[in-house]
Amino acid sequence: MATLVDANTPTAVLDRVSLVLDAFDGPGRLTLAQIVRRTGLPRSSAHRMLERLVQLRWLRRQGRDYELGMRLVELGSLAVHQDRLHRAALPFLHELHRVTGQVVHLAILDGPDVVYLEKIGGRLAAAIPTRVGGRYPAHCTAVGKALLGYADEDQLPAVEADVLGRKTKFSISTGAQLRTELAKVRAHGIAFEREESLSGFGCVAAPIGNLGEAVAAVSVCGPISQMKLDHRLAAPVRMTALGIWRNIEGGPVRVQPTLQQSRPLAGGSARPRPIAAPMPDLQYA
Amino acid sequence: MATLVDANTPTAVLDRVSLVLDAFDGPGRLTLAQIVRRTGLPRSSAHRMLERLVQLRWLRRQGRDYELGMRLVELGSLAVHQDRLHRAALPFLHELHRVTGQVVHLAILDGPDVVYLEKIGGRLAAAIPTRVGGRYPAHCTAVGKALLGYADEDQLPAVEADVLGRKTKFSISTGAQLRTELAKVRAHGIAFEREESLSGFGCVAAPIGNLGEAVAAVSVCGPISQMKLDHRLAAPVRMTALGIWRNIEGGPVRVQPTLQQSRPLAGGSARPRPIAAPMPDLQYA
């Protein structure tokens, strides 16, 4: 009986729920048999859990297929919209889209990937296969470079294995290339991406945070032919990043979602010092 | 010991997790003490669960405050984008926005509310306080009326209590008014809303589904002054609804997310018959 009770500790149950939901990352629709195969859970307990998840609307069932459900849509949407960074950013992101006419992204770093918190764009948005809540390898994107530029050494991808996954033939593919690129990001406070994530498209991104750190990044992306990948786009992107950081409710406090992964703040303070003044090169508006 | 084991059945644990996550619907950030108060869970078990949820990234912790986490953003986004209805709809929604210049919504019915699955709009989108994953009282919205028009009697809100909650002074406020309105929706296959959800704005919506049913609805919304709330907008909205229904992967099958609440299909078939031909009044394009 001891093992039965152990298998039912709240932590063990939570881990099983997490395992079941993770199984939907990819295929979308799964039968009970497929879920049993993917999770290794006993059929009867998997079935009971699935039916309860359907009742809670975390999953939905259509015939023999299970899919992720509406309650997750609601919770995910709440998570984004309750986020102080997102709330602070939204008006600035709309304005950046209006001014540039390009697709605007807000993203955070999560392991080797960026996760998009917002995407604003007109018709062009459909041409770029990013989505809110979606992931992309950080080193292939401008927002990712803007974040990696200020990340800890141990957050950089594939430092030992000197080969990085590529999305296009222009993607950064070695650790050495990435280091050179990140030094440029730190030197200029801005990151460029030229057809490295999607053929025909380019991006300009700026880090959001105190000087020398980045809790998030903002970018504009558009057709490489239309984008002037120089400082004409850099200025509004930088101004947007600064505006967002200063607009965060209760002052610019650390809002990085993956706190347990983040490096300690300089000086060990639980709250970073607010920006006293804009950086000199941000004085143009 | 029996009660302890009972409290740890997977179902009981799942219900507690659900209770904890539900507590975040509204305030956003909660301390352990607030979560204990809102859920009635013992402090120590609440704390253990919260810490595990933080590890799983379903929650995040900042100092003493807990917030909904990035894994929920990812799962919610997956739930939307794996949805066959959403996938079928997306190109049509973008086209409807391009053609009309107005804000486009895709929504489903969930109890007395609509839940938005997509929102597409330019600058105007920021003026309308809807969001993907958000809810709104169905009887106050055009998408809601389009859905309620084809809903079962028992899905209609407040049939006995003849008073409905209002969002503006123009909102439908009695069951009698709603019935009159829904009869019009059924007669014309289109729903209008004139400053009933938001002052200064109006919407036109069409149901998505086989003749005489609605599994979802699509609408355009814009400033009441700019919107010609007549059949000039009705035509593209209707064509969009039809296009989406015919574009659903594997044929137009029932995709309503809340299957357990839905009425049985006519004829008891598990798959509704596909539309053989467009309705006569949809022949214009």
Side-chain angles (χ1 to χ4, degrees), chain B residues 92-106:
Chain B
F92 289 91
L93 302 178
H94 277 289
E95 180 63 12
L96 184 59
H97 169 63
R98 195 187 66 76
V99 167
T100 64
Q102 307 295 344
V103 177
V104 172
H105 287 106
L106 176 71

Side-chain angles (χ1 to χ4, degrees), chain B residues 8-33:
Chain B
N8 282 343
T9 62
T11 298
V13 175
L14 260 175
D15 290 354
R16 290 209 297 276
V17 175
S18 179
L19 198 64
V20 165
L21 295 182
D22 288 352
F24 289 87
D25 206 333
R29 265 184 295 169
L30 295 171
T31 62
L32 171 59

